[in-house]
């Protein structure tokens, strides 16, 4: 049996090494498989949360409390990946491992200081911002929201370290651990809710989230040490590579700020529609987010290092071939998947969530929101390809421009559509924004590539 597995593995490796597209596909399968397991664990977590808290005030308070830390994670921490990987790969290819380690160590110093500063700013301004985000909350609900926020705030620093460490592993094409480590968060959260939920209530959910992120960071730290990287932050001066990462980081933060603001705006506007609306919007995105996260994480994680390497080597023909191949694959797969998810929206919600405090009426409302979110799948996944290509070409200013276009468009569509469709209108607005964003990114990516070719 072991011999057969080894033979199969060796044949798989030989097949994958035949071409760049095969290597990308093999990496995507690896990442996708682990991400699928992670998302199954996350789905189990959502089922436990739905059973315990339903769509009531406690969960509304948690979602708004986590809104600011998660917003900062997406903006400040999430931007490290796209800014660091292309430069790290370029330095490693041209100057060797020692120079790459120095870049990593310097970025660790800079990012840690930045994350601590942002955490302090959020902590000091929370008393003013949270009442705005939860504008429809009563005083008792706002007090609960504030206490949950301070409990969740350390996740920002932890997530920033996770993003940087995972980026280095991905740049080294060590995809498995980076893809598998996120399973810790849902697993620890479920255990915490089951063990402490009756005693601590919604606080058990917050404690589980913080504990899960902490263990995920510990796993990635072990993986980097196993690869021979030092995790001790050391400042090696403002070298050209460090400066280049910072220059790429600035537009990424600006773009991520605007794009992440759409989620913040969506949930804040949902809070205006009455009790439970924030939770309904959140549950309505769970199945779609599950589907998108597996596909997008697998594809973007696998393709980004290869795009970065192709750009560094100015291999434009391979980039074009890879882009066209995966765009065709996305269209062929995503359209029938979207149709099935939309058609079976209500049965899916009923099977996954309808139990305990989650009622039949909740199922109906969530299913309507979910059907609108489904429409974004093809646009979102295709857009991910262009986002990764643009970042590999160090054209992150284009992503900032895309976000500048998308942010006001999302607000306008929310105002118009929620007037006629309620919470479902907010979900439809998101899908339409991704369609417009895809059109913009596709045009700009080809223009950027033509400029670099000349």
């Amino acid at each position: 049996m072991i011999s057969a597995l080894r033979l199969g593995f060796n044949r798989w490796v030989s097949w994958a090494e035949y071409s760049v597209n095969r290597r990308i596909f093999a990496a995507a399968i690896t990442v996708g498989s682990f991400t699928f397991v992670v998302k199954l664990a996350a789905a189990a977590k959502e089922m436990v949360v739905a059973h315990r808290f339903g769509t009531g005030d406690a969960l509304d308070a948690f979602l708004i409390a986590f809104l600011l830390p998660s917003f900062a994670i997406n903006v400040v921490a999430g931007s490290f990946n796209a800014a660091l990987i292309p430069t790290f790969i370029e330095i490693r290819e041209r100057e060797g491992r020692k120079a790459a380690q120095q870049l990593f160590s310097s970025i660790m110093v800079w990012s840690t200081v930045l994350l601590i500063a942002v955490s302090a700013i959020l902590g000091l301004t929370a008393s003013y911002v949270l009442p705005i985000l939860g504008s429809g909350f009563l005083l008792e609900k706002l007090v609960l929201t504030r206490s949950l926020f301070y409990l969740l705030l350390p996740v920002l620093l932890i997530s920033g370290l996770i993003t940087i460490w995972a980026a280095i592993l991905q740049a080294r094409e060590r995809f498995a651990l980076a893809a598998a480590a996120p399973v810790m968060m849902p697993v620890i959260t479920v255990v915490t809710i089951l063990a402490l939920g009756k005693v601590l209530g919604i606080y058990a959910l917050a404690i589980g989230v913080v504990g899960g992120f902490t263990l995920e960071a510990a796993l990635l730290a072990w993986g980097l040490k196993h690869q021979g990287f030092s995790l001790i932050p050391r400042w090696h001066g403002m070298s050209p590579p460090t400066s280049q990462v910072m220059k790429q980081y600035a537009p990424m933060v600006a773009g991520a700020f605007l794009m992440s603001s759409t989620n913040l705006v969506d949930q804040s506007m949902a809070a205006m529609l009455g009790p439970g609306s924030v939770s309904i919007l959140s549950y309505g995105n769970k199945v779609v987010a599950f589907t998108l996260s597996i596909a997008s994480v697998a594809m973007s994680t696998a393709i980004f290092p290869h795009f970065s390497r192709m750009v560094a080597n100015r291999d434009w023909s391979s980039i074009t071939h890879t882009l066209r191949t995966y765009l065709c694959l996305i269209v062929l797969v995503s359209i029938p998947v979207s149709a099935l998810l939309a058609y079976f929206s209500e049965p899916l919600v009923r099977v996954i969530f309808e139990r305990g405090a989650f009622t039949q009426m909740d199922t109906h409302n969530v299913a309507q929101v979910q059907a609108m979110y489904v429409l974004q799948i093809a646009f979102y996944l295709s857009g991910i390809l262009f986002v990764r290509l643009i970042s590999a070409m160090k054209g992150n200013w284009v992503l900032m421009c895309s976000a500048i276009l998308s942010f006001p468009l999302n607000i306008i569509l929310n105002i118009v559509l929620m007037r006629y469709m309620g919470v479902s209108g907010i979900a439809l607005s998101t899908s339409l924004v991704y369609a417009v964003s895809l059109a913009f990114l596709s045009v700009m990516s080809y223009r950027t590539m033509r400029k670099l070719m000349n």
Side-chain angles (χ1 to χ4, degrees):
M1 181 64 179
I2 295 176
S3 299
L5 290 173
R6 285 179 179 173
L7 179 62
F9 177 76
N10 289 334
R11 287 181 177 177
W12 170 255
V13 171
S14 299
W15 179 87
E17 292 296 326
Y18 183 77
S19 69
V20 171
N21 278 345
R22 289 188 181 184
R23 287 173 63 190
I24 293 171
F25 182 78
I29 291 295
T30 300
V31 175
S33 299
F34 282 111
T35 303
F36 179 73
V37 174
V38 171
K39 295 306 174 182
L40 281 181
K45 183 204 77 172
E46 297 300 337
M47 293 169 68
V48 171
V49 170
H51 181 270
R52 172 64 62 183
F53 305 109
T55 59
D57 285 347
L59 187 59
D60 275 357
F62 173 85
L63 292 172
I64 294 298
F66 198 40
L67 199 55
L68 278 178
S70 61
F71 173 76
I73 288 168
N74 292 332
V75 173
V76 181
S79 300
F80 290 136
N81 185 301
L84 177 59
I85 287 180
T87 302
F88 181 86
I89 290 176
E90 182 181 2
I91 295 302
R92 189 190 64 197
E93 293 284 319
R94 295 181 180 180
E95 301 182 25
R97 183 185 179 90
K98 182 178 179 181
Q101 172 68 65
Q102 289 179 349
L103 173 62
F104 170 54
S105 299
S106 294
I107 294 301
M108 280 284 294
V109 173
W110 168 64
S111 59
T112 300
V113 172
L114 178 63
L115 290 166
I116 291 173
V118 172
S119 298
I121 292 171
L122 289 181
L124 292 172
T125 59
S127 297
Y128 306 99
V129 177
L130 290 176
I132 298 173
L133 296 178
S135 57
F137 289 5
L138 298 176
L139 179 60
E140 184 179 355
K141 195 171 178 178
L142 275 175
V143 171
L144 175 61
T145 302
R146 189 179 297 112
S147 60
L148 288 169
F149 166 79
Y150 286 114
L151 182 57
L152 291 164
L153 190 56
V155 169
L156 173 56
L157 174 59
I158 300 168
S159 293
L161 297 176
I162 287 172
T163 302
I164 293 172
W165 295 345
I168 299 301
L169 288 172
Q170 291 161 10
R172 294 274 298 167
E173 297 187 33
R174 299 295 186 266
F175 299 109
L177 180 59
V183 78
M184 298 308 301
M185 198 277 282
V187 169
I188 297 302
T189 301
V190 168
V191 171
T192 306
I193 292 174
L194 294 177
L196 303 174
K198 291 183 179 180
V199 178
L200 299 179
I202 196 67
Y203 289 100
L205 175 57
I207 292 170
V209 168
V210 176
F213 275 113
T214 302
L215 288 179
E216 179 183 349
L219 279 176
L220 293 176
W222 171 84
L224 280 173
K225 284 190 174 182
H226 186 69
Q227 290 292 315
F229 283 93
S230 171
L231 298 179
I232 300 174
R234 289 193 179 95
W235 182 249
H236 294 277
M238 186 59 73
S239 63
T242 302
S243 177
Q244 187 178 76
V245 171
M246 291 182 178
K247 287 178 181 178
Q248 290 300 310
Y249 180 76
M252 281 300 300
V253 166
F257 176 84
L258 292 171
M259 287 303 294
S260 297
S261 295
T262 59
N263 182 52
L264 187 148
V265 168
D266 287 350
Q267 295 202 38
S268 297
M269 295 180 79
M272 302 175 187
L273 296 175
S277 296
V278 178
S279 301
I280 289 170
L281 186 69
S282 177
Y283 281 121
N285 196 32
K286 297 300 183 185
V287 172
V288 176
F290 178 89
T291 305
L292 283 177
S293 59
I294 293 173
S296 64
V297 169
M299 182 175 60
S300 64
T301 301
I303 210 166
F304 193 25
H306 292 284
F307 270 159
S308 299
R309 190 174 294 106
M310 291 175 194
V311 171
N313 295 324
R314 303 183 65 81
D315 189 359
W316 308 115
S317 61
S318 294
I319 290 175
T320 302
H321 177 67
T322 298
L323 190 62
R324 289 175 178 173
T325 299
Y326 282 93
L327 282 173
C328 291
L329 182 62
I330 287 169
V331 172
L332 289 174
V333 174
S334 62
I335 291 178
V337 169
S338 299
L340 287 172
L341 287 176
Y343 185 78
F344 293 105
S345 184
E346 191 156 333
L348 275 173
V349 175
R350 182 177 298 113
V351 169
I352 296 172
F353 297 119
E354 193 178 306
R355 57 185 59 84
F358 199 99
T359 66
Q360 186 176 1
M361 181 57 69
D362 292 332
T363 295
H364 177 72
N365 292 333
V366 169
Q368 289 183 323
V369 173
Q370 180 176 278
M372 295 299 101
Y373 271 129
V374 162
L375 301 177
Q376 71 181 281
I377 292 177
F379 305 124
Y380 183 93
L381 293 178
S382 299
I384 286 292
L385 281 180
F386 290 108
V387 166
R388 287 312 197 189
L389 175 58
I390 289 167
S391 291
M393 293 187 293
K394 301 184 179 71
N396 289 326
W397 65 271
V398 175
L399 304 182
M400 181 181 66
C401 293
S402 176
I404 292 172
L405 171 67
S406 298
F407 181 70
L409 179 62
N410 181 64
I411 295 175
I412 293 169
L413 290 175
N414 277 353
I415 293 172
V416 173
L417 295 174
M418 67 190 284
R419 182 179 302 172
Y420 300 100
M421 302 172 62
V423 184
S424 299
I426 297 175
L428 177 58
S429 170
T430 299
S431 297
L432 294 176
V433 167
Y434 279 121
V436 174
S437 177
L438 170 62
F440 177 80
L441 291 173
S442 61
V443 171
M444 294 304 296
S445 64
Y446 281 113
R447 285 186 179 181
T448 305
M449 188 159 55
R450 282 199 297 269
K451 287 182 181 179
L452 292 176
M453 291 171 67
N454 295 330

